[in-house]
Every structure is written in structure tokens, then in C-alpha cells.
Amino acid sequence: METSRGTVRYWTHGSGPGPAVVFLQGFLAGPDVWTPVVSELAGRHRCITVDWPFGAHTLPMRADADLSPPGVAELVVEVLDLLGESSAVLVGNDSGGAIAQLVTAAHPDRVAALALVACDAFEVFPPGAYRLLFRLAAVPGVVRAMAAAMNVPVVARSRAGFGAVMERGPGSVRHWTVPAAGDAGVRRDIAKLMTGASRAQTLAAARTFGRYDRPVLVVWADRDRLFPLRLGRRLAEAFPRGRLEVVAGSGTFVPHDRPERLAELLAGFLDHQAVR
């Protein structure tokens, strides 16, 4: 679809009553990270995955596009408009969870329910391990060097790469690193997202959570190296209808590490709460 910020690819899976379920993946992750989860949900729910400009996207956005986190939050709303969705259930993981929070804060009427999966929140945006790298993204050549390094299998598998957010098989997602390694436009988009990220944004969003009275599911990973469990508890407690679930044997990228458990939790959430 054509948006004011550029072309965005999307896929619709399944059908069902109630609002659509829109997924936002993490930093440098492709939309296919959700495939095992969506395959379990599509029998009863209409699920939409999107190639958001998070670094693994195959089509660079317009050169003048605002791709700061608040800008991407507005892109989410624009995509909902173009899809004809008055509201949707947002499911966000990692930095996608931060974007979902910004959408909820700015446009609560567009978010029918919210599921936040091991993600940035409050003062943790970006997480401490990546804070310096995000600041350095403004320096010429830094994002290109990062993309080149992530395209090296041993780096991608290591704790400096996807090994930091995955407990199993980080080598299976090498295709996510190809766009940034080969396309200057994609690297430009990544730099905008990285340099535009600020804890002030998630802290401001958090001040609105007490007024959001729709169901919120917070899913955390017991082996998360970026986001401690206390952050997940705090996030769930910030919402009047928040609930925390902890997934065993998973790193930050829960849809990759434990898709079957995440799908089970989301199915219960959607069936018994979000579609009422």
C-alpha cells in the first residue's frame, strides 16, 4: 500500500469476528517472525502482518519520511486508515511494543486491546545495551558497519547480534540482515528510527496508561537479557486492566523462541477479553 511515508507491504491472514489483530515486530526483525503465531490464530481471527520500517524491511521509505518512533506510530494509524480499520488489537514485541504504546497513548480509540511482548517501556528505550549504538547511528558509516557485521553469520548468532534476543536458532533469520546490508535507503530508515528513539517518548506514553481502560496482556520472557521481569510487572500494573504472563525458555523475541506458547496466550486473550 502507498502511504505518505512510502510503500508498505502487508499480509492478511485468516478471518473472524471482532477487530483485526495487527502485529509489530522488533528492531531488525522481519514480519515473518510472527508466522508461527499467526498460523495458530488465523482460524478464528483476522491477523495482519506488516513490513514495518524496523530495519529488515525490503522497500525503503521516502527520503523525507519521519521515521522517529512517534512518526512510525502515526504510520501505524495511517495503515489502519488505509485498511479501513476503525480500531485494531495491537501486538508489539521489542521496539514494536514501544511503538504500540505510543499509538495507544496518542490514539487510544484506535486500539481495541493491547498485547505487549517483552518490550521497551518507561525509561528503558532503547535498552541499556543498545543506548550508545542508537546515539552513534547519527555518525556516518555506523549503521552501514552495523548492517555489515550483522550479515556475518558468526556475528548474527552471537550475543552482539540476534543471540542477545533469541535462545534458539538465530542463524535461521539471516535473511533479515540482507536489506540493510545491501540498500542505503534501508540504512537511512534505520538511522532515523535509532536516532529518534528517546526514553522521554515512552515515559510520556506511560503517563496515559491509567486512562486506558481496555484489556492489556503483557507477556514477558524468563531469559530476557534486555528487559528485566520487573519491567514487565511494572508495565502490567500501569494499566487498569493489565495482566502479566511469563513465558519460560525464551529470550526477548518470544514469537521466535516460543511461538506456540505465545499463540496460546494470545488466543485466550482475544477469545475471552479483546473481542467482547
Side-chain angles (χ1 to χ4, degrees):
M1 72 174 66
E2 292 299 323
T3 77
S4 63
R5 289 169 170 80
T7 304
V8 174
R9 300 172 68 209
Y10 74 97
W11 298 263
T12 300
H13 318 260
S15 61
V21 186
V22 177
F23 294 83
L24 295 98
Q25 58 272 13
F27 181 61
L28 297 184
D32 58 312
V33 73
W34 297 110
T35 299
V37 175
V38 166
S39 67
E40 294 293 326
L41 298 176
R44 298 187 60 173
H45 302 281
R46 185 160 45 94
C47 302
I48 299 172
T49 55
V50 182
D51 200 8
W52 302 110
F54 293 165
H57 56 298
T58 54
L59 297 176
M61 305 298 280
R62 287 176 40 176
D64 62 348
D66 176 6
L67 298 179
S68 66
V72 177
E74 292 304 315
L75 174 63
V76 173
V77 174
E78 184 177 357
V79 167
L80 293 181
D81 288 340
L82 292 170
L83 291 173
E85 303 291 343
S86 59
S87 66
V89 178
L90 297 186
V91 181
N93 176 221
D94 188 56
S95 52
I99 301 299
Q101 292 170 53
L102 299 187
V103 175
T104 304
H107 303 278
D109 57 312
R110 306 302 299 271
V111 183
L114 181 63
L116 300 172
V117 183
C119 62
D120 305 79
F122 303 105
E123 67 278 353
V124 185
F125 186 48
Y130 293 95
R131 198 164 295 149
L132 179 59
L133 178 62
F134 272 50
R135 290 174 182 168
L136 290 175
V139 177
V142 167
V143 172
R144 182 171 186 172
M146 178 192 74
M150 289 292 287
N151 210 38
V152 177
V154 68
V155 176
R157 290 193 298 268
S158 74
R159 295 289 177 86
F162 289 116
V165 292
M166 296 177 180
E167 285 296 298
R168 66 173 185 85
S172 66
V173 297
R174 274 196 62 202
H175 58 288
W176 292 348
T177 69
V178 173
D183 194 316
V186 172
R187 293 194 295 272
R188 177 195 64 220
D189 295 347
I190 298 173
K192 290 181 182 180
L193 180 66
M194 294 172 72
T195 58
S198 167
R199 66 178 69 183
Q201 296 157 357
T202 41
L203 284 168
R207 289 193 284 271
T208 73
F209 293 166
R211 300 192 295 273
Y212 183 75
D213 62 355
R214 297 179 182 182
V216 177
L217 173 66
V218 176
V219 179
W220 230 251
D222 72 336
R223 299 183 185 177
D224 200 315
R225 298 183 182 90
L226 301 184
F227 308 114
L229 181 55
R230 63 179 179 275
L231 186 68
R233 290 196 184 100
R234 182 179 167 196
L235 189 56
E237 291 169 357
F239 293 95
R241 298 177 65 185
R243 174 169 64 90
L244 175 68
E245 295 284 350
V246 179
V247 175
S250 179
T252 305
F253 280 17
V254 182
H256 175 272
D257 282 347
R258 292 294 312 278
E260 71 294 331
R261 179 57 178 151
L262 180 58
E264 181 182 19
L265 290 169
L266 288 173
F269 177 66
L270 294 168
D271 289 343
H272 299 112
Q273 296 187 69
V275 299
R276 285 183 180 177

